[in-house]
């Protein structure tokens, strides 16, 4: 939906809606440490703290960046359809007691805080793709530059009244803006960095260090995703209810597919179960406020089958080392869910829809717009990500050495242990450039 720049604001701030958006903001905030636990548990123990540090460190950095320039570049004047201006620099003019044109029922600051959580989590999804390989300083630069040159423009195009919104592209909670861009970026980085040591030994499936921690992270992500999707309604009511229902149904259907396939192929897998559920959540995100429960069941099953097949092909046939399958579990599902909107979006679910899906007989305009949206966002993200990592690699270097990879990023980059062996407690060796067998034996 394109919002007229000179349209008068009829603010009617509602305490109930404001409460729901603030609660949703807190729920989405909880997804950041949940993501850290989920990824750390699925990685080898010698790299657990590196992921946690990247995600929490990235979260606080991106918070400050959003407050300074991010909100303004995404949601300020849409007279230039590529990106906003700096008229709301440092949140100037973003009031606590007045609304914005993007949500006239809640304070402008509540809207800004909620959208900040989306901005923070998007580039951090890519940590699962390049896990165990990237230097800390390279990660830090990559996260900031990618946020500015990929996330902010695409978010403006779709949510800030930019050019994709003007042709009819819709994205309820981030299938295009978040999952497609992060998935495309993750794939590019994975291809550029190459495979980790012993990739073929483990068939790309390195043994996880702490599955209970990963499962805890997945269930906390599960809970947070209700705020992620239903909070995007920006109002407590039928659309938020639809989003909650779609989130639970879509994630469950996708997870059931992964569980069934892993069972048929051997034994029911915990890793498959939690990955399948996350794939469903990611894919239903762009559609959760537009489709009914029956369509969600179909979408969830499609997402489960497609993401499982994509992981198998990428990791076991093409041997692409996307460590935690971000391109398949987030990227592909975000694309599929966004396109599915063009088939099944229904005005009885969301009365703000300008066009319904083709199954409701309103032609193919919405489907065409959604296809254009995912292609543009994916290609743009891939191209800009490639340029960014080439520059970073030339200037500061991107990948750790094989010797450092053997020791692990926890010691090499942070000088800390995630798990101490009791017999070493109090006498652990400090990290040195010469990698002793004692350090390696800790793991």
């Amino acid at each position: 939906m394109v919002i007229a720049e000179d349209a008068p604001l009829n603010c009617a701030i509602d305490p109930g809606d404001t409460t729901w958006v603030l609660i949703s903001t807190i729920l989405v905030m909880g997804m950041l440490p949940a993501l850290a636990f989920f990824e750390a548990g699925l990685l080898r123990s010698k790299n657990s703290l590196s992921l946690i540090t990247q995600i929490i460190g990235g979260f606080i950095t991106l918070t400050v960046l959003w407050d300074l320039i991010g909100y303004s570049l995404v949601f300020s004047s849409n007279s230039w359809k590529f990106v906003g201006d700096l008229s709301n620099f440092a949140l100037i003019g973003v009031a606590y007691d007045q609304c914005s044109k993007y949500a006239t029922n809640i304070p402008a600051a509540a809207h800004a805080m909620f959208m900040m959580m989306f901005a923070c989590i998007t580039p951090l999804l890519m940590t699962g793709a390049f896990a165990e390989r990237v230097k800390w300083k390279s990660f830090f630069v990559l996260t900031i530059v990618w946020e500015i040159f990929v996330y902010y423009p695409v978010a403006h195009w779709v949510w800030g009244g930019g050019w994709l919104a003007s042709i009819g592209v819709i994205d309820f909670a981030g299938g295009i803006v978040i999952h497609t861009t992060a998935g495309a970026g993750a794939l590019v980085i994975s291809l550029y960095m190459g495979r980790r040591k012993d990739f073929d030994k483990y068939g790309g499936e390195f043994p996880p260090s702490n599955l209970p921690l990963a499962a805890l992270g997945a269930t906390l992500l599960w809970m947070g995703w209700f705020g992620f999707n239903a909070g995007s309604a920006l109002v407590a009511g039928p659309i938020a209810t639809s989003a909650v229902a779609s989130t639970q149904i879509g994630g469950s259907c996708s997870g059931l597919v992964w569980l069934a396939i892993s069972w048929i192929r051997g034994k029911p897998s915990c890793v498959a179960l939690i990955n399948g559920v996350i794939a469903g959540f990611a894919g239903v995100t762009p559609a959760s406020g537009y489709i009914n429960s029956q369509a969600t069941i179909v979408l969830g099953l499609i997402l489960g089958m497609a993401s499982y097949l994509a992981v198998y092909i990428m990791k076991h046939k093409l041997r692409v080392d996307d460590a935690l399958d971000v391109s398949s579990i987030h990227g592909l599902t975000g694309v599929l869910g966004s396109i599915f909107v063009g088939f099944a979006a229904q005005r009885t679910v969301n009365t703000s829809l300008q066009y319904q899906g083709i199954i409701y007989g309103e032609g193919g305009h919405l489907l065409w717009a959604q296809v254009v949206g995912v292609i543009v966002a994916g290609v743009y993200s891939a191209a800009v990500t490639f340029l960014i990592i080439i520059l970073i690699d030339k200037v500061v270097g991107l990948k750790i050495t094989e010797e450092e990879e053997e020791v692990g990023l926890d010691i090499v980059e942070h000088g800390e242990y995630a798990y101490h062996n009791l017999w070493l407690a109090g006498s652990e060796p400090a990290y040195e450039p010469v990698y002793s067998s004692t350090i390696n034996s800790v793991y």
Side-chain angles (χ1 to χ4, degrees), residues 181-227:
T181 58
L187 178 59
V188 169
I189 297 172
S190 299
L191 291 170
Y192 184 86
M193 297 198 68
R195 291 179 286 273
R196 286 167 290 174
K197 185 176 183 290
D198 294 329
F199 177 88
D200 291 321
K201 175 182 177 181
Y202 295 104
E205 305 286 350
F206 289 83
S209 63
N210 192 332
L211 273 181
L213 182 64
L216 174 63
T219 52
L220 292 174
L221 283 169
W222 192 326
M223 183 169 63
W225 229 298
F226 291 120

Side-chain angles (χ1 to χ4, degrees), residues 29 45 50 54 56 68 87 95 125 141 163 174 190 255 258 269 273 283 289 305 315 318 354 393 425 430:
M29 179 269 156
S45 60
S50 70
Q54 285 175 6
I56 297 179
L68 289 176
S87 58
L125 292 175
V141 175
W163 71 275
S190 299
W258 277 66
S269 165
L273 175 61
M305 290 184 286
K315 187 153 282 181
L318 301 178
Q354 183 179 3
D393 201 15

Side-chain angles (χ1 to χ4, degrees), residues 294-309:
Q294 296 74 42
T296 304
I297 293 173
V298 175
L299 175 58
L301 295 174
I302 292 172
L303 294 170
M305 290 184 286
S307 57
Y308 193 100
L309 180 61

